Amino acid sequence: MTNKPLRTFLLVLLSSQFAFAQTEEMTRKEISKMIAKASNHMLNLECEKSLIAAKNALNEAYQINDKVLIAKAYNIIGLNHEEFSDFKKAVQYYEKGLRYANQTNNDTIKDWLHNNLASAYCYHKLDFEKGIEHYKIGLYYSEKLKDSTEIIYTRLNIASAYFEIKKYEEGFKYLVGLEKQIQKGNALEAQISLNSLLGSYYTHSNNFVKAEAFYKTALELCKKNKVEFLQTNACDLYKEFSQYYFKIKDFENAYFYLEKYTATKEQIYNEERINEVKKAGSQIELDEYKRLVSQIESEKQLQARSLQQSRIIVVLFIITLIFLLLFLFSLYKNNEIRKKINNELKIANKQLKEAKDQAEEVSQLKSQFISTISHELRTPLYGVVGITDIITDEHKELSESSYLKSLKFSAKYLLSLVNDILQVYKIDENKIKLENSAFNIIEDLHLVTDSLMFLAEKNKNRLLLEVDEDIPPLLIGDRVRLSQIFMNLIGNALKFTHKGRVKITAQIEKIEGTIYYIKFEVIDNGIGIAEEDQEKVFEKFVQIERKEDDYQGTGLGLPIVKQLVTLFNGEISIKSKENVGTTMTVVIGFDSDPKQIKYYTDNLEVEYALEQNYRVLVVEDNKINQIVTKKILDDNNFPNVIVDNGFNALDLLQKETFDVVLMDINMPAINGFETTKRIRELGITIPVIALTAFDKQEISEQVYAADMNGIIIKPFEPKQLCKMIVQLCGTNT
Ligand code: ADP
């Protein structure tokens, strides 16, 4: 026994509760009409027409995206399919409809779809439990809507479903009280269903009288029915009735209703209708596929667009990557190049360092060489000059000998050459420092000119000195170096002028604070210097080629002058014209600060007196030098003893008393420094003067470190030696 479920699908037209825009309103009305038409066709089992109308309504509803109408259209399509036994499709369409319905506030359509879905599950025995669940949800909506017809139908359907699964009592609960409500509503189909269900219930509870009565009422009601759709109810009822008669063994009636059932069924489910449904149904499926395809296509378009975007991103990414790689590559290359350059630099640095070390070594060797050479040259020169003096002194008749004069001149020239070379080298190496003292510039100029008078006379020149009276009597500066500058400049002027005039002027150029800038000029009217040679004369070893080469020079005089002027922070310039004369101008600033002057004058050396004859011990290994030194000491009345090495000196000093020791430095066995140290170790405190051919600045540090008291450089002026002996011995006593 399977009761056909009762449905409400005849839709109320124009029942829209929404306020639509004018055109949409029209469209919705049209769609609603179409759905109503589909429902009517359905009721008349004109399935093809019903499905076509529902399909058109569905398409239109999709166009305006009206979910209620979509759900309604799907509901009709589902009903059509269900009616012709394609239950699975029916369920699919109901579920689709329900998905859209659930997105709306329309409880009516939700109610219908739950009920129809439930009916599909139950009537076609797909899943009763599921069906009952849907019925109950449908009942909830019906009650909410207070839709009495729907409530009645749903209750009848629930009861029917429970009866199907033999839960008669459960089902019966839903039938109680229904009879009155149905009569009120006068719903024919519901009455048929109720009577049929009650017939079933009472058949089950073996109350055949009641059962037959209900069945008969149901049949009577069926006969009244004119709507063809309800014939399906009659069809089901004939079947049930026939089964009932079989049960009570009334076979005549049983066969009678069975035949009726078969005839009605054939009438309804003829082949033509099924084909119609299939045709219309396949059209709907086609539309579904079309929709699916267009959905897929729009997804595809979306994908294509996102693919395009991804492509752009990928291209950009690749470009960035390429740039990045190029950048990395250039970084790497740069690094390589830098490494290479660094390596080259390292090598170059190493080479430079080696070159520097070599240069330093060479420079050291050079300085050693120069100092050795000058020492070795000065030592014999000391002998030559000294011996020449001794000869002239002892043999007065030879004093006018041109040979002796030449000898002395040559020796002195050689000596000045050695001194010049040494000086140039020392200035180059920044080894010369000016030694300041307070002195009278004018007096010194007189001294220089006096000492050069012999040269003036030799070349028959007049030598004039013109000085500014306002130059302060005492200024601070290095008088020795200044004299050297003048000696050179005046010497040159006198050398390159014959029977002419050499004038020296000294004037205040300007005064800045305590500094007096004095301008010195050495003006001659000699042979002059050609324009093109004027710059060259300050270069070392430059001598201008002359026709008459009867003068002697080294070509070092002016370079030394220039270097010295620079040391004074002064300036030198030359103005000359060939055969007219030369003017050398030097400007140097001297400090006149009284405080400074006082400082220097307080330390001024006192004049020495030669009355005291101090006993001198000379330590000297060179025989000639022994003779020269002895001669000087004797001449100046200094009693003296000469020993030729340090050990002898130490012995003698322990035995005898001396006032002063003249100590040679460079001696075999034990040198001057060592000997002095040992003298001091013996507790002897008498002055020790280093008498050496070494350069003073080179050895002064060692001299004082060895506790010596003074230095005299050979060859020396006898006066210089005597002065130092007296000074040192005087302070020592
Ligand atoms: P020297 O030892 O040859 O004098 P200097 O360096 O002092 O070397 O001078 C370089 C050259 O400059 C000299 O050889 C000379 O030709 C030229 N000279 C220097 N002073 C004068 C001057 N007053 N008159 C002419 N020529 C000069």
Side-chain angles (χ1 to χ4, degrees):
M1 181 194 75
T2 312
N3 277 325
K4 183 165 170 60
L6 298 165
R7 313 281 173 85
T8 42
F9 46 79
L10 189 63
L11 301 166
V12 183
L13 292 179
L14 309 171
S15 64
S16 172
Q17 355 163 338
F18 305 105
F20 301 125
Q22 201 60 32
T23 47
E24 279 193 9
E25 174 85 2
M26 291 306 289
T27 319
R28 281 190 172 81
K29 278 182 184 171
E30 290 299 317
I31 299 168
S32 296
K33 268 186 198 168
M34 276 189 243
I35 291 171
K37 221 163 116 187
S39 301
N40 279 331
H41 287 309
M42 175 72 220
L43 283 174
N44 293 321
L45 292 179
E46 293 164 344
C47 292
E48 187 182 6
K49 285 179 185 168
S50 172
L51 280 169
I52 289 168
K55 180 203 87 176
N56 291 337
L58 185 65
N59 284 343
E60 291 296 320
Y62 266 118
Q63 290 291 316
I64 58 164
N65 194 27
D66 187 316
K67 290 176 176 135
V68 175
L69 294 176
I70 293 171
K72 284 178 178 175
Y74 274 126
N75 188 35
I76 299 289
I77 296 165
L79 278 167
N80 275 298
H81 279 284
E82 193 187 340
E83 200 55 40
F84 295 100
S85 308
D86 200 344
F87 316 122
K88 281 188 183 162
K89 271 191 189 154
V91 167
Q92 274 174 22
Y93 286 116
Y94 291 143
E95 276 178 346
K96 271 189 189 178
L98 194 57
R99 270 206 299 280
Y100 282 96
N102 281 336
Q103 292 173 41
T104 70
N105 295 323
N106 191 319
D107 291 338
T108 311
I109 185 67
K110 286 181 208 168
D111 182 15
W112 293 344
L113 281 159
H114 274 295
N115 279 328
N116 290 341
L117 202 52
S119 302
Y121 277 124
C122 296
Y123 185 61
H124 307 294
K125 301 180 180 166
L126 298 177
D127 188 337
F128 282 101
E129 298 292 342
K130 239 184 190 175
I132 291 167
E133 272 308 301
H134 280 291
Y135 275 135
K136 284 182 179 171
I137 302 170
L139 186 60
Y140 158 77
Y141 284 118
S142 308
E143 283 168 353
K144 195 177 164 197
L145 291 164
K146 296 192 172 81
D147 182 339
S148 54
T149 312
E150 200 60 35
I151 293 169
I152 292 164
Y153 283 4
T154 311
R155 291 182 71 163
L156 287 169
N157 289 337
I158 295 173
S160 168
Y162 274 125
F163 287 0
E164 285 293 324
I165 53 173
K166 313 286 180 219
K167 291 184 176 175
Y168 286 96
E169 294 312 320
E170 284 286 314
F172 187 68
K173 282 182 204 160
Y174 286 88
L175 298 178
V176 178
L178 267 189
E179 202 173 351
K180 276 182 199 161
Q181 287 180 35
I182 293 168
Q183 272 168 0
K184 250 195 259 165
N186 204 19
L188 183 62
E189 199 189 0
Q191 282 180 4
I192 297 167
S193 178
L194 177 66
N195 283 292
S196 169
L197 283 170
L198 286 171
S200 280
Y201 175 74
Y202 286 114
T203 306
H204 165 73
S205 50
N206 294 325
N207 191 341
F208 300 115
V209 182
K210 265 192 175 182
E212 192 168 344
F214 281 115
Y215 279 134
K216 278 189 172 163
T217 315
L219 269 178
E220 283 306 311
L221 288 167
C222 274
K223 277 174 197 161
K224 283 184 195 170
N225 169 36
K226 294 283 174 273
V227 183
E228 196 180 346
F229 176 72
L230 293 184
Q231 282 179 16
T232 54
N233 290 46
C235 179
D236 292 335
L237 195 59
Y238 291 145
K239 192 182 168 193
E240 255 183 65
F241 218 8
S242 147
Q243 282 170 351
Y244 161 74
Y245 280 121
F246 272 119
K247 200 175 175 185
I248 61 166
K249 305 208 184 337
D250 181 349
F251 297 111
E252 197 182 331
N253 271 323
Y255 284 115
F256 172 75
Y257 283 108
L258 193 62
E259 265 173 28
K260 266 189 140 336
Y261 163 72
T262 316
T264 319
K265 194 167 178 165
E266 265 174 20
Q267 191 191 341
I268 298 166
Y269 300 100
N270 59 56
E271 201 57 38
E272 197 187 337
R273 278 183 179 164
I274 290 169
N275 284 341
E276 276 175 13
V277 171
K278 276 191 179 161
K279 209 172 115 198
S282 59
Q283 183 64 43
I284 290 164
E285 268 177 45
L286 197 70
D287 289 341
E288 283 293 309
Y289 285 132
K290 271 186 194 162
R291 261 193 291 282
L292 203 67
V293 167
S294 80
Q295 198 182 338
I296 288 167
E297 249 161 29
S298 66
E299 272 172 19
K300 245 166 94 180
Q301 270 175 4
L302 265 175
Q303 274 176 353
R305 231 176 291 149
S306 77
L307 200 75
Q308 180 84 6
Q309 281 171 352
S310 317
R311 256 191 221 132
I312 293 167
I313 291 167
V314 167
V315 168
L316 283 176
F317 177 73
I318 289 170
I319 291 169
T320 321
L321 201 73
I322 289 169
F323 272 115
L324 217 75
L325 284 174
L326 282 174
F327 178 66
L328 274 176
F329 183 69
S330 79
L331 266 183
Y332 169 75
K333 274 276 151 198
N334 274 350
N335 205 30
E336 288 290 295
I337 293 168
R338 216 177 35 227
K339 262 191 206 162
K340 209 176 142 198
I341 292 172
N342 270 353
N343 276 346
E344 282 170 6
L345 267 176
K346 266 185 201 162
I347 294 166
N349 271 349
K350 208 178 150 200
Q351 285 170 346
L352 267 176
K353 201 179 171 295
E354 279 168 12
K356 187 181 152 244
D357 290 347
Q358 235 169 5
E360 272 172 7
E361 206 178 324
V362 167
S363 146
Q364 215 175 352
L365 278 174
K366 188 178 126 200
S367 78
Q368 215 174 344
F369 171 76
I370 288 171
S371 82
T372 314
I373 288 292
S374 25
H375 178 266
E376 295 310 308
L377 281 173
R378 270 197 197 132
T379 310
L381 277 175
Y382 176 64
V384 174
V385 174
I387 297 289
T388 318
D389 281 341
I390 292 169
I391 293 168
T392 344
D393 208 33
E394 286 184 3
H395 304 274
K396 299 274 189 248
E397 71 281 6
L398 291 177
S399 64
E400 285 310 308
S401 158
S402 60
Y403 296 123
L404 209 60
K405 275 187 182 167
S406 290
L407 177 68
K408 199 169 176 183
F409 177 81
S410 299
K412 283 202 165 164
Y413 169 71
L414 199 57
L415 190 61
S416 72
L417 179 65
V418 171
N419 285 340
D420 280 356
I421 290 173
L422 192 66
Q423 186 153 36
V424 165
Y425 150 76
K426 275 164 55 180
I427 297 173
D428 273 351
E429 301 276 305
N430 289 327
K431 283 190 176 168
I432 283 194
K433 280 199 188 101
L434 296 182
E435 284 174 18
N436 284 340
S437 63
F439 70 108
N440 188 316
I441 286 179
I442 312 302
E443 267 179 24
D444 276 20
L445 272 176
H446 278 290
L447 281 174
V448 173
T449 47
D450 286 352
S451 68
L452 289 170
M453 203 50 93
F454 80 98
L455 195 57
E457 282 163 11
K458 188 184 158 209
N459 285 344
K460 300 189 174 67
N461 289 321
R462 276 191 300 135
L463 189 53
L464 307 168
L465 184 59
E466 251 181 47
V467 291
D468 190 339
E469 297 290 314
D470 293 336
I471 295 173
L474 284 178
L475 287 169
I476 296 163
D478 188 327
R479 62 186 296 193
V480 178
R481 304 294 176 197
L482 190 67
S483 297
Q484 206 176 351
I485 291 170
F486 292 132
M487 287 292 267
N488 271 296
L489 293 178
I490 301 167
N492 276 347
L494 290 169
K495 270 196 285 182
F496 299 103
T497 307
H498 293 270
K499 295 180 187 163
R501 189 195 62 149
V502 174
K503 189 167 130 188
I504 295 109
T505 64
Q507 276 156 354
I508 298 170
E509 165 135 303
K510 60 176 176 179
I511 305 165
E512 279 178 5
T514 55
I515 311 290
Y516 275 74
Y517 287 88
I518 314 284
K519 179 164 119 182
F520 304 96
E521 283 181 317
V522 179
I523 311 156
D524 68 58
N525 56 357
I527 58 171
I529 305 165
E531 179 94 43
E532 65 271 20
D533 295 327
Q534 287 176 14
E535 275 299 302
K536 280 195 260 170
V537 293
F538 292 107
E539 288 167 23
K540 285 170 207 157
F541 302 105
V542 167
Q543 288 182 313
I544 313 297
E545 272 191 43
R546 314 273 187 196
K547 280 177 208 144
E548 7 28 285
D549 52 352
D550 59 340
Y551 72 93
Q552 283 181 308
T554 59
L556 284 171
L558 287 180
I560 289 174
V561 167
K562 184 156 190 186
Q563 286 175 325
L564 289 175
V565 171
T566 311
L567 276 177
F568 273 100
N569 288 325
E571 277 165 15
I572 183 164
S573 60
I574 180 171
K575 224 159 66 185
S576 186
K577 204 167 178 191
E578 271 186 299
N579 302 318
V580 174
T582 305
T583 299
M584 289 286 193
T585 308
V586 172
V587 180
I588 292 173
F590 298 95
D591 198 358
S592 67
D593 181 10
K595 273 189 211 155
Q596 290 287 318
I597 289 173
K598 190 172 180 307
Y599 167 78
Y600 285 112
T601 47
D602 282 352
N603 292 324
L604 218 58
E605 294 162 4
V606 279
E607 271 298 302
Y608 70 95
L610 274 175
E611 284 89 62
Q612 282 166 293
N613 290 330
Y614 298 108
R615 195 162 183 251
V616 183
L617 172 64
V618 181
V619 190
E620 170 70 79
D621 63 323
N622 186 303
K623 297 293 173 203
I624 297 168
N625 288 355
Q626 283 179 2
I627 296 166
V628 176
T629 309
K630 184 166 177 47
K631 176 82 171 77
I632 292 167
L633 291 172
D634 288 346
D635 284 353
N636 288 283
N637 301 319
F638 288 111
N640 57 77
V641 178
I642 296 183
V643 289
D644 54 11
N645 66 57
F647 293 116
N648 290 343
L650 286 164
D651 282 348
L652 202 61
L653 278 168
Q654 287 177 81
K655 289 177 202 150
E656 295 178 25
T657 309
F658 291 91
D659 295 301
V660 62
V661 182
L662 297 186
M663 181 75 73
D664 186 24
I665 297 296
N666 211 6
M667 291 183 294
I670 175 169
N671 70 23
F673 302 126
E674 190 55 38
T675 312
T676 311
K677 274 185 201 162
R678 295 196 187 181
I679 291 171
R680 299 301 182 217
E681 278 165 18
L682 292 172
I684 300 163
T685 56
I686 56 164
V688 177
I689 299 170
L691 205 63
T692 173
F694 278 120
D695 184 73
K696 189 178 174 182
Q697 278 182 348
E698 249 171 67
I699 61 153
S700 52
E701 209 175 301
Q702 280 173 289
V703 164
Y704 295 112
D707 217 356
M708 291 175 151
N709 307 80
I711 313 165
I712 298 280
I713 302 298
K714 292 187 273 192
F716 52 86
E717 286 297 314
K719 216 176 151 192
Q720 199 192 347
L721 176 68
C722 300
K723 194 175 154 189
M724 190 175 278
I725 292 172
V726 173
Q727 261 180 5
L728 289 174
C729 293
T731 47
N732 201 44
T733 48

